[in-house]
Amino acid sequence: MSSQMSIIKRVEGRGLVLPGNDIDTDQIIPARFLRAITFAGLGEQVFRDERFDENGAPRPHPFNDERYHGAEILIVNTNFGCGSSREHAPQALLRFGIKAIVGESFAEIFAGNCAGIGLVVATMARPLVVDLQARVQRDPLLPLLVDIENLLFGCADERFPLAMNEAARAALLGGTWDSLEQLRRDDAAIERVHRRLPPFSTLLNADGQPL
Amino acid sequence: MGKSLFDKVWDEHKVAALSETRDQLFIALHLVHEVTSPQAFQALRERGLPVKYPERTVATVDHIVPTEQQLVRPYGDSLAEEMLQALENNTRVFGLPFFGLDSAAQGIVHIIGPENGLTQPGMTIACGDSHTSTHGAFGAVAFGIGTSQVRDVLATQTLALERLQVRRIDVVGRRGLGVYAKDIILKIIATLGVKGGIGYAYEYGGPVIEALSMEERMTVCNMSIEGGARAGYINPDQTTFDYLQGRPFVPAGDDFAAAVRRWQAMTSDDDADYADRVTIDITGMAPQLTWGINPGQVTGIDEPLPEPDNCAEEERDGVRKAYEHMGFRPGRRLAGEPVDVAFVGSCTNGRLADFRAAATILKGRRVAPGVRALAVPGSRSVKRRAEEEGLDEIFRAAGFDWREPGCSLCLAMNPDKLSGRQLCASSSNRNFIGRQGAPLGRTLLMSPAMVAAAAVAGEVADVRDFLEGPR
Ligand code: SF4
């Protein structure tokens, strides 16, 4: 949440394959880790209940897999991030070290939350995603590239078409993904809409009546 | 071509176009709660910004509050105490109205908005909670947002958003015995899929929807998000206006008549242009419930569970994973499956009508031995009115715990949790793995009356066996 504008044109790194459809934000970060007033420390708890059993012993899970250690590009399937609107989910992934997520499709609030914190979300056709997942599973050291400017996905020397939400892409390329500065540009325009709308107030007067 | 309510509301609240696809949208009402706001307030502090329109903001506490000994502070649970104090402090420092624990208006954020008349037709409403779609029942355009967006609304009262497309969903047919609003929305989600609504706002209409009470409409709109739709709404009509009249924040007298005229003008035109139209016929539909681990894995109480091989290819993995987690077998029926916990509550089904419906089943009956049964009113006002009607007595006499208001077992951020592999008949909205606080816990979503029937039977039961009338 810093006010610094930063332009994001590409993400390079290794891949982390997380297969499965409809992976919801309760799985990404269980609700009990929302019991805090900062986002600090969320990275360690990402997929907590999938990664560890009831006694805290690690289970086989891509996020525990040594071979993916240090990976920055998460590769998922359909409807990733469905369910609760908690921004804690993308925050946890970002803090784990994920900088871009590529998949078949994403839940809307989740994708919007990613866009607002500069976490890149891009989609590819199903056959490409499935093929890519298999290749990265075979060779986790493959160098990958998410090229936001040219809408290309790179895997070693090959390039594949990538799709992105146009507004999110423009915001990354323009360094305006942190929307607050953009929204604060024209106070007068905001005030005009405020005044145009019917009078409304949640505040109460001394008698406990709405103002 | 005419315009939909969604487009009319959007145009009225549009501040500016930010890019070709993204608009700056004014938010008429911002609802705030303790879980998704502390980082947003912190961001304001770091930048030295005030809350731009405190009069368009209201906060309450619901997710983390215990439902027993709610007023005994400080809480033994230090994290809950810290979160509550943070909100108390933030609302004081930033000068925001706060319906805290000392307020008769406290409750689940999506219940107190409507019951106080804060939620009104034609508004844009945002809240850091995905079930903000509930408020669409009044013909508001209402959606959940993330914490960075909560910050944006606090600081500017606006959001950077893309316009959604509108899908019109007409629900037609005859509503059978034991079929409630919950059954209707579960059917819609099962029909259109959990991703069917991505990119859409759902406009619900047709004779079945028009005949629903406001409380039922809220149940339907509440679960739009489970169908992937960020917003869902119903055009306001006389039912809406009757519900609103006389509520604290609704204009009174001549102003009310003027407000109704404005609200009427906001409804969708008869020839409105929809991106898509769907008709769902509920004639002959049995009570519905989920059997799996996402809200689209729905079955009728009289239907066998699906064979994975008969499911669409892209669903098969999810279906197999669901069987693995739930321990059910394809082809069998859920009726007769023993339940451990019964929960009536949440922003989906925690309103007075929901407790009345459950009480109809519970009256003169007892919860089966070994079943832990929890009734958690959605707000202080719901609790008070239920008690005035004597509903609490019916619940208690049946063997339910009658609790203080809050989100409770809907997401288990307070002490109300499942343990081990417990199976819970729940009137809430999400059956994701771990949602009710135990990684191995299992959730069956159903109507409050079906929950009551399961509690009494000690197993999944057909609520129609407890009701009189033609099916
Ligand atoms: S009752 Fe459940 S879904 Fe509703 S606001 Fe509370 S936690 Fe969210």
Side-chain angles (χ1 to χ4, degrees):
Chain A
M1 290 196 192
S2 97
S3 60
Q4 279 148 30
M5 293 291 162
S6 98
I7 291 172
I8 303 177
K9 288 185 177 174
R10 51 178 28 221
V11 175
E12 284 171 277
R14 286 181 289 115
L16 195 169
V17 177
L18 183 69
N21 298 329
D22 306 319
I23 291 177
D24 60 80
T25 53
D26 276 81
Q27 282 177 57
I28 299 173
I29 189 81
R32 62 183 184 282
F33 299 114
L34 275 52
R35 292 161 24 97
I37 57 171
T38 73
F39 289 132
L42 282 182
E44 288 138 52
Q45 312 300 354
V46 72
F47 289 106
R48 173 77 207 191
D49 291 341
E50 318 259 300
R51 286 165 63 201
F52 300 93
D53 69 13
E54 310 87 87
N55 306 315
R59 294 203 273 212
H61 187 277
F63 276 74
N64 284 343
D65 191 336
E66 277 298 318
R67 302 184 318 143
Y68 292 136
H69 189 77
E72 287 168 326
I73 300 171
L74 181 62
I75 310 164
V76 301
N77 296 100
T78 68
N79 200 27
F80 186 78
C82 60
S84 153
S85 61
R86 59 189 70 160
E87 187 176 308
H88 302 69
Q91 289 279 0
L93 291 166
L94 190 69
R95 280 153 210 267
F96 182 85
I98 301 297
K99 297 204 167 63
I101 316 177
V102 176
E104 295 174 56
S105 66
F106 294 86
E108 211 158 297
I109 299 181
F110 176 83
N113 284 340
C114 290
I117 61 173
L119 178 53
V120 179
V121 164
T123 57
M124 281 200 302
R126 176 170 169 79
L128 288 177
V129 172
V130 172
D131 178 55
L132 178 68
Q133 287 181 324
R135 288 168 69 171
V136 174
Q137 277 169 334
R138 276 198 303 273
D139 181 6
L141 296 178
L142 272 177
L144 307 181
L145 162 72
V146 177
D147 180 344
I148 298 153
E149 227 174 350
N150 301 304
L151 283 177
L152 289 174
F153 187 89
C155 178
D157 295 332
E158 291 177 78
R159 294 291 177 272
F160 306 98
L162 201 63
M164 284 185 72
N165 171 295
E166 200 34 57
R169 175 169 172 258
L172 290 166
L173 293 175
T176 57
W177 47 268
D178 184 342
S179 43
L180 186 49
E181 293 313 315
Q182 211 181 7
L183 294 174
R184 289 185 64 211
R185 256 176 229 160
D186 193 351
D187 249 9
I190 297 175
E191 182 68 18
R192 274 199 298 279
V193 177
H194 169 65
R195 292 187 178 281
R196 180 170 83 208
L197 295 175
F200 175 81
S201 176
T202 62
L203 298 174
L204 302 174
N205 66 20
D207 303 325
Q209 295 303 309
L211 281 181
Chain B
M1 270 293 181
K3 279 165 81 174
S4 66
L5 176 143
F6 182 90
D7 286 331
K8 291 182 189 181
V9 173
W10 191 283
D11 291 343
E12 194 180 51
H13 291 80
K14 180 170 163 177
V15 174
L18 295 174
S19 70
E20 255 171 54
T21 55
R22 195 174 282 199
D23 288 341
Q24 180 172 12
L25 191 74
F26 190 89
I27 300 303
L29 172 64
H30 183 202
L31 302 166
V32 173
H33 64 86
E34 75 281 20
V35 178
T36 54
S37 69
Q39 299 87 349
F41 283 113
Q42 185 54 29
L44 259 59
R45 277 204 187 83
E46 283 164 11
R47 298 186 198 205
L49 297 173
V51 171
K52 188 156 177 67
Y53 295 114
E55 68 271 37
R56 292 188 176 276
T57 314
V58 68
T60 192
V61 59
D62 50 10
H63 285 64
I64 51 100
V65 292
T67 55
E68 286 176 307
Q69 309 233 318
Q70 195 169 70
L71 301 180
V72 183
R73 301 274 302 274
Y75 292 150
D77 175 351
S78 60
L79 292 175
E81 179 64 31
E82 187 185 11
M83 292 179 82
L84 178 48
Q85 280 186 18
L87 186 60
E88 288 170 336
N89 184 44
N90 284 329
T91 50
R92 192 171 52 243
V93 169
F94 287 94
L96 303 181
F98 177 44
F99 295 160
L101 292 172
D102 53 0
S103 163
Q106 180 263 340
I108 303 175
V109 64
H110 309 310
I111 292 196
I112 65 164
E115 74 187 2
N116 287 290
L118 291 162
T119 303
Q120 295 171 20
M123 273 183 163
T124 48
I125 301 179
C127 172
D129 189 286
S130 56
H131 290 97
T132 308
S133 59
T134 312
H135 307 264
F138 292 79
V141 169
F143 41 78
I145 54 178
T147 298
S148 295
Q149 293 175 308
V150 171
R151 172 205 64 184
D152 290 354
V153 182
L154 289 173
T156 70
Q157 204 62 38
T158 65
L159 285 168
L161 288 172
E162 281 153 87
R163 196 186 276 254
L164 299 169
Q165 292 191 292
V166 182
R167 170 178 291 144
R168 166 82 181 190
I169 300 173
D170 282 289
V171 184
V172 303
R174 198 184 72 84
R175 188 171 149 182
L177 184 72
V179 171
Y180 300 84
K182 183 65 154 286
D183 303 287
I184 296 172
I185 185 62
L186 285 174
K187 185 70 183 178
I188 292 173
I189 298 165
T191 307
L192 300 175
V194 291
K195 345 182 210 300
I198 295 179
Y200 286 101
Y202 281 173
E203 176 179 302
Y204 305 99
V208 172
I209 299 293
E210 283 160 23
L212 297 179
S213 69
M214 285 318 297
E215 300 200 323
E216 293 175 312
R217 292 179 188 189
M218 286 187 252
T219 301
V220 171
C221 291
N222 173 276
M223 289 188 71
S224 302
I225 187 70
E226 271 64 51
R230 192 168 190 178
Y233 67 89
I234 295 168
N235 280 296
D237 59 12
Q238 199 55 45
T239 306
T240 323
F241 310 143
D242 291 345
Y243 177 98
L244 287 170
Q245 190 161 24
R247 293 191 185 257
F249 290 92
V250 172
D254 289 348
D255 292 344
F256 182 74
V260 168
R261 280 194 297 280
R262 190 158 32 75
W263 296 337
Q264 280 167 331
M266 295 304 275
T267 58
S268 294
D269 297 328
D270 290 338
D271 60 345
D273 189 14
Y274 299 106
D276 190 24
R277 293 192 81 127
V278 182
T279 299
I280 292 176
D281 188 343
I282 61 160
T283 306
M285 182 179 89
Q288 305 283 302
L289 71 167
T290 64
W291 63 269
I293 53 173
N294 77 49
Q297 291 173 331
V298 169
T299 181
I301 186 68
D302 54 358
E303 282 170 47
L305 298 183
E307 298 287 345
D309 291 345
N310 297 343
C311 297
E313 194 225 313
E314 66 156 26
E315 279 167 24
R316 266 175 228 161
D317 279 355
V319 166
R320 290 206 181 90
K321 204 172 165 201
Y323 278 120
E324 207 175 290
H325 181 77
M326 300 300 286
F328 300 149
R329 276 201 317 280
R332 48 157 301 194
R333 287 174 171 73
L334 275 187
E337 188 69 35
V339 301
D340 306 294
V341 179
F343 171 58
V344 181
S346 87
C347 60
T348 311
N349 284 123
R351 285 170 287 269
L352 188 59
D354 301 311
F355 292 96
R356 282 185 186 148
T360 309
I361 309 297
L362 295 175
K363 192 161 188 171
R365 296 194 172 99
R366 290 279 308 165
V367 169
V371 175
R372 178 176 169 229
L374 217 59
V376 183
S379 71
R380 262 164 219 274
S381 158
V382 168
K383 179 168 187 275
R384 179 178 49 76
R385 287 185 300 151
E387 289 171 358
E388 281 165 9
E389 287 184 17
L391 297 181
D392 58 325
E393 287 307 321
I394 297 175
F395 274 87
R396 282 209 189 88
F400 264 79
D401 265 12
W402 181 258
R403 294 288 186 87
E404 302 287 327
C407 294
S408 177
L409 198 49
C410 176
L411 94 166
M413 278 184 78
N414 75 345
D416 306 334
K417 293 180 184 9
L418 300 186
S419 66
R421 290 194 75 235
Q422 278 184 328
L423 184 66
C424 179
S426 182
S427 73
S428 55
N429 46 52
R430 287 192 173 136
N431 54 347
F432 299 142
I433 293 175
R435 172 75 179 184
Q436 292 189 296
L440 299 179
R442 298 169 299 153
T443 304
L444 304 176
L445 304 176
M446 57 185 81
S447 72
M450 281 280 282
V451 171
V456 167
E459 56 187 38
V460 176
D462 189 336
V463 68
R464 295 174 297 184
D465 297 340
F466 295 76
L467 295 167
E468 277 168 35
R471 291 203 169 181

